[in-house]
Amino acid sequence: MVSDKSIQIRRGLAAVRDHSRQFADFTFVYPVISRRSRGLSLGINLNPDKVCNFDCIYCEVDRTVPGKVSKVDLNQMHDELIAMIRFVRDGGLAKEPKFDELPEFITRNIKDIAFSGDGEPTTIQNFAECAQTVAEVKALERLDRTKIVLITDAAGLDRPEVKRGLEIIDAHNGEVWGKLDAGTESFFKEVNRTSVSFDRILNNLRDTARTRAIVIQSLFLKLRDRVMPREELEVYCQRLADIVGGGGKIKEVHAYTIARPTSEEFATGLGAGELESIAETIRTRTGLKVLSFD
Ligand code: SF4
């Protein structure tokens, strides 16, 4: 088991339940307490315009309201990140509502800086430049142990611009968290609702994992009160095995479920026992390390 005590962050805490990507007057940078990051994560919102090439049935982003900003201002993102890091270090965040419910060893320790936000980070045209900016700030602020994480639906991992960005991230304690929610093309289309082909996602995950060990993040849910069918889960496990069989390295699998309200009422979260049962099946079938976050 993971010994890091910050993983014991309880789901019920307000700072864990609230993953708002808006903090004070910041536009691109926001703090969240993330159980999957095992502590404090500084999010970088590269998609304040809410652009995404998926339309997941469990997405929490409200796209009925347009985004406030359509373009990432790199200088502003740079300045906001420095300001947020110093705010955390000086203990300012620890005094903020919701964050003040947590011990300071959590709210003063930046586990990662994560490209995430209101859409898919790899859709941005100058991804490498964004990665370089974050890497420079991380070095300047001497956050040697802090990771840079790319949280992605994997659709853009084959873009040359993104590959350049990944090389920068790799050189600065980077990690890729790639989404895989399905085993078959039809289930993938039902859950992730995209025109991107499932083959492209699978190939991108495998190819990215050939160069560095990746984390697979998989959301399991109930569709109209039904958990993922057994056959679908078996094919999903085979997809993971195919990534490994194709020369890819999977560091761990994060199995999680819906924790906050979504736009589709027919998509609901699993109970802790249901999720753990799926996680155990994945462990048994693949031999991979699987962490479940109910
Ligand atoms: S990939 Fe992420 S941002 Fe895009 S629709 Fe799915 S959950 Fe929402």
Side-chain angles (χ1 to χ4, degrees):
M1 287 306 290
V2 180
S3 60
D4 188 336
K5 55 186 175 176
S6 62
I7 199 174
Q8 293 164 1
I9 299 163
R10 285 179 291 111
R11 174 184 174 176
L13 287 165
V16 176
R17 285 200 315 271
D18 181 2
H19 270 207
S20 167
R21 285 167 283 269
Q22 201 62 56
F23 183 81
D25 53 357
F26 287 66
T27 301
F28 303 108
V29 179
Y30 58 95
V32 291
I33 298 298
S34 163
R35 292 189 304 149
R36 285 185 283 147
S37 295
R38 297 160 193 149
L40 176 61
S41 170
L42 300 187
I44 305 283
N45 189 358
L46 293 188
N47 304 93
D49 55 3
K50 305 188 181 180
V51 167
C52 191
N53 41 22
F54 279 26
D55 178 23
C56 303
I57 56 176
Y58 56 79
C59 188
E60 296 163 12
V61 178
D62 179 4
R63 294 195 168 83
T64 59
V65 180
K68 283 192 196 140
V69 180
S70 60
K71 208 165 171 285
V72 174
D73 179 330
L74 266 184
N75 289 330
Q76 186 181 341
M77 189 257 269
H78 171 275
D79 292 350
E80 284 189 9
L81 185 54
I82 290 182
M84 182 63 77
I85 290 167
R86 294 180 183 173
F87 184 59
V88 168
R89 274 218 186 107
D90 294 345
L93 185 69
K95 297 193 187 84
E96 288 287 315
K98 294 184 287 222
F99 293 93
D100 61 3
E101 294 175 22
L102 288 149
E104 288 205 12
F105 77 84
I106 293 176
T107 49
R108 280 183 181 242
N109 180 14
I110 303 168
K111 289 284 186 180
D112 62 47
I113 302 170
F115 290 110
S116 179
D118 288 327
E120 170 52 35
T122 63
T123 57
I124 193 165
Q125 292 309 307
N126 57 341
F127 179 76
E129 224 182 336
C130 296
Q132 183 63 37
T133 302
V134 168
E136 283 171 10
V137 171
K138 187 169 108 67
L140 178 76
E141 295 298 315
R142 301 185 185 284
L143 292 174
D144 301 338
R145 296 177 62 189
T146 298
K147 287 182 197 167
I148 302 178
V149 175
L150 169 63
I151 301 180
T152 177
D153 64 21
L157 291 173
D158 51 354
R159 291 183 53 224
E161 173 70 16
V162 174
K163 289 183 179 179
R164 274 196 295 279
L166 288 187
E167 284 173 16
I168 295 165
I169 289 173
D170 286 344
H172 293 85
N173 197 13
E175 208 159 77
V176 176
W177 293 10
K179 183 190 295 296
L180 183 66
D181 296 335
T184 62
E185 175 104 30
S186 59
F187 197 83
F188 166 69
K189 295 284 182 191
E190 186 175 2
V191 172
N192 300 120
R193 298 191 298 198
T194 174
S195 58
V196 179
S197 78
F198 195 39
D199 273 350
R200 182 171 175 188
I201 299 298
L202 294 170
N203 291 340
N204 282 356
L205 288 171
R206 182 202 58 210
D207 292 348
T208 304
R210 280 177 173 160
T211 308
R212 80 280 292 158
I214 66 169
V215 172
I216 296 287
Q217 38 155 13
S218 299
L219 186 137
F220 296 99
L221 74 177
K222 276 186 191 151
L223 284 174
R224 298 174 190 83
D225 288 331
R226 289 195 61 215
V227 296
M228 180 186 262
R230 196 78 199 168
E231 317 79 67
E232 183 69 27
L233 182 57
E234 294 293 341
V235 185
Y236 162 89
C237 291
Q238 187 54 49
R239 299 299 191 188
L240 296 180
D242 290 345
I243 292 172
V244 176
K249 294 180 281 300
I250 296 177
K251 183 184 171 197
E252 59 195 29
V253 177
H254 291 177
Y256 63 113
T257 191
I258 294 173
R260 287 171 284 276
T262 67
S263 56
E264 305 293 2
E265 284 178 5
F266 62 86
T268 51
L270 299 179
E274 291 166 321
L275 185 66
E276 181 48 34
S277 162
I278 287 174
E280 186 54 29
T281 300
I282 305 168
R283 283 181 205 114
T284 308
R285 297 288 187 277
T286 65
L288 292 168
K289 178 177 175 182
V290 183
L291 302 176
S292 64
F293 301 86
D294 63 275

